[in-house]
Amino acid sequence: MSSSLLSTEISDPVNARILAISEDRIAGFHEDPFAEIARLSELPIETVIDRLRAMLEAGVVRRIRQTLMATNLAPGALVAWRVPTERLDAAFDYLDAEDPFSGHVVIRSTDAETQGSVYRLWTTLKVPQGFSMQKHCELLAERIGADTYRVMPAKCLFALGVGHLRRRGMEPGSRSEEPGEVLDTNLVELSALEWRVLATLKRELAPAEVRAEPWRGRADEAGIPYDEFLRVARGLSERRVIGRFSSFLEHVKPSPAGERATRYNALFHWRVPEGRELDAGREVGRHHILTHAYWREGGEEFANVNIMAVAHGTEKDVMLAHKAAIDRHLEEAGIPVFYTNVFWGGRSRIKPSEVLPEEYEAWLRRTGVDPDAMRAR
């Protein structure tokens, strides 16, 4: 059937069934990820391919790609920037359009003036191996006119998954029986062949590539025999360098019919006692509503918070109810919370951060910077 004749709305029962799996349920590397989506959703593979291709062409799904565990491939951090109000939008535009290493770019606000609320611009940042995070931030601060910034690397992760559609209607307090898994952020060294496969693998799929065995074309493009390409990709997956095969919904703009996947993007902050960060993170990580949960050090700028988490939803009061349920759970678990806050997302742009060292060198040269001046010492 022509893609133009297929429903592309996320409320369509068939689409919802596919997206409940394809958003964040295909972990690791699969030779034929669409066959795996079909198997888990109990739908014909032709239906899965046709519907995902149609949603991608319509912009309801903004990208389909093999994700990487980027925290293990390049030093990364959440960065909060203090930028004068009159320069805020221009700074957002620069980081969105001109810096491939800044991923999520979000203008945030708080419900009341609090410690840290002057930091309105937030980004995730990856700086490829061999180069300096501090030097990159200094370069960006000069270019966007930031007064100052706070760099907050993740010491470890407790939750990582998207699944916006699956989280719709979720009851506040819904959580797993087991504590959240602790995922480390140790860097992995790769061979030249592994980087070559990874570079080809990670690029988002074009609509024409939404088909059975999509990696055959990528192997040809890389000039690597298909069996060898699969062998290397499976090895990367076993080393936990590969994340998920994911369909990312457009959750900033409404669909052509006016549907939204999410409306509110909340960044939760907690300060728990020093030495209890892992305990608190694992308890926070139980909660199904969270797409991300980390141990990050906010420093004095953010009242010394050390646990952060992100949740998305369509109603603000429901988001606050989820936050209150997590707060109660921490209290019941015997973990004191000295301070907490919520930063709400406004204008935002979500894009994958580039992690390839050669791309970083090329970007520096294009923008008039000597790569040697940016190396980590």
Side-chain angles (χ1 to χ4, degrees):
M1 183 182 293
S2 169
S3 295
S4 62
L5 300 178
L6 294 171
S7 170
T8 58
E9 295 304 314
I10 59 176
S11 58
D12 177 274
V14 174
N15 293 343
R17 193 165 156 187
I18 292 168
L19 291 167
I21 302 298
S22 69
E23 273 199 275
D24 68 345
R25 286 305 198 217
I26 308 301
F29 175 79
H30 292 264
E31 178 180 354
D32 195 339
F34 298 111
E36 183 67 3
I37 295 168
R39 183 182 73 81
L40 293 174
S41 62
E42 299 181 333
L43 289 167
I45 187 172
E46 295 80 9
T47 300
V48 167
I49 288 172
D50 288 346
R51 292 301 184 103
L52 283 174
R53 184 183 293 155
M55 286 188 279
L56 183 61
E57 290 175 338
V60 173
V61 168
R62 73 176 186 271
R63 62 174 60 91
I64 298 174
R65 63 184 289 261
Q66 179 71 63
T67 69
L68 312 179
M69 292 300 291
T71 51
N72 300 114
L73 291 169
L78 180 66
V79 186
W81 306 88
R82 194 177 76 191
V83 179
T85 301
E86 66 273 13
R87 301 196 60 154
L88 193 58
D89 282 324
F92 179 104
D93 291 339
Y94 180 87
L95 296 176
D96 172 20
E98 304 298 335
D99 183 28
F101 312 96
S102 293
H104 295 45
V105 183
V106 186
I107 294 178
R108 294 192 178 275
S109 60
T110 53
D111 288 330
E113 187 173 333
T114 63
Q115 192 164 347
S117 60
V118 293
Y119 289 80
R120 299 287 314 283
L121 184 59
W122 294 69
T123 62
T124 56
L125 178 63
K126 297 286 186 300
V127 176
Q129 292 185 34
F131 294 93
S132 166
M133 171 77 68
Q134 186 64 37
K135 290 176 181 178
H136 190 82
C137 287
E138 290 170 2
L139 178 66
L140 292 183
E142 181 181 350
R143 290 182 175 179
I144 67 175
D147 297 328
T148 188
Y149 55 88
R150 173 73 187 183
V151 180
M152 295 168 277
K155 293 196 169 184
C156 56
L157 291 70
F158 308 104
L160 186 62
V162 189
H164 297 311
L165 201 63
R166 177 169 49 79
R167 288 177 168 88
R168 281 190 164 192
M170 185 175 287
E171 287 294 320
S174 172
R175 61 180 186 259
S176 65
E177 292 292 328
E178 298 298 321
E181 182 181 3
V182 179
L183 303 173
D184 68 55
T185 57
N186 297 328
L187 292 181
V188 174
E189 292 188 7
L190 302 182
S191 69
L193 176 60
E194 287 171 326
W195 276 117
R196 189 170 155 200
V197 169
L198 209 62
T200 308
L201 193 68
K202 73 183 183 65
R203 197 178 69 247
E204 61 191 72
L205 270 63
E209 293 180 298
V210 180
R211 60 175 187 252
E213 298 185 346
W215 309 124
R216 285 191 178 276
R218 294 293 174 91
D220 290 342
E221 176 187 318
I224 300 171
Y226 186 53
D227 287 347
E228 177 74 353
F229 186 93
L230 295 179
R231 183 191 65 78
V232 174
R234 290 182 182 123
L236 291 168
S237 190
E238 289 169 3
R239 295 172 67 189
R240 304 189 76 171
V241 171
I242 299 291
R244 305 175 310 275
F245 183 82
S246 297
S247 305
F248 292 87
L249 285 173
E250 173 54 70
H251 64 265
V252 175
K253 303 173 186 175
S255 74
E259 280 192 310
R260 288 183 181 270
T262 66
R263 186 177 296 271
Y264 292 95
N265 163 358
L267 173 63
F268 301 147
H269 281 188
W270 295 273
R271 179 188 168 200
V272 303
E274 186 177 348
R276 300 296 305 276
E277 295 93 346
L278 286 177
D279 296 335
R282 297 189 76 198
E283 295 304 324
V284 167
R286 291 178 185 263
H287 289 260
H288 297 141
I289 192 63
L290 300 176
T291 58
H292 303 75
Y294 312 92
W295 173 3
R296 299 185 189 273
E297 297 288 347
E300 292 183 3
E301 297 92 332
F302 297 99
N304 294 306
V305 299
N306 43 20
I307 302 297
M308 301 184 185
V310 178
H312 298 261
T314 56
E315 298 175 31
K316 187 174 182 178
D317 60 342
V318 175
M319 301 302 296
L320 290 172
H322 281 287
K323 168 67 166 51
I326 299 172
D327 292 344
R328 286 193 300 272
H329 178 66
L330 287 171
E331 182 180 1
E332 291 164 2
I335 300 173
V337 175
F338 301 140
Y339 173 85
T340 187
N341 202 355
V342 181
F343 283 76
W344 298 101
R347 185 184 180 194
S348 62
R349 166 76 165 141
I350 312 301
K351 55 192 175 80
S353 300
E354 182 58 77
V355 296
L356 298 179
E358 61 266 30
E359 291 296 329
Y360 190 67
E361 289 197 36
W363 177 80
L364 289 171
R365 291 193 179 94
R366 285 198 307 272
T367 58
V369 179
D370 179 3
D372 287 339
M374 300 295 286
R375 297 192 189 279
R377 304 300 181 192

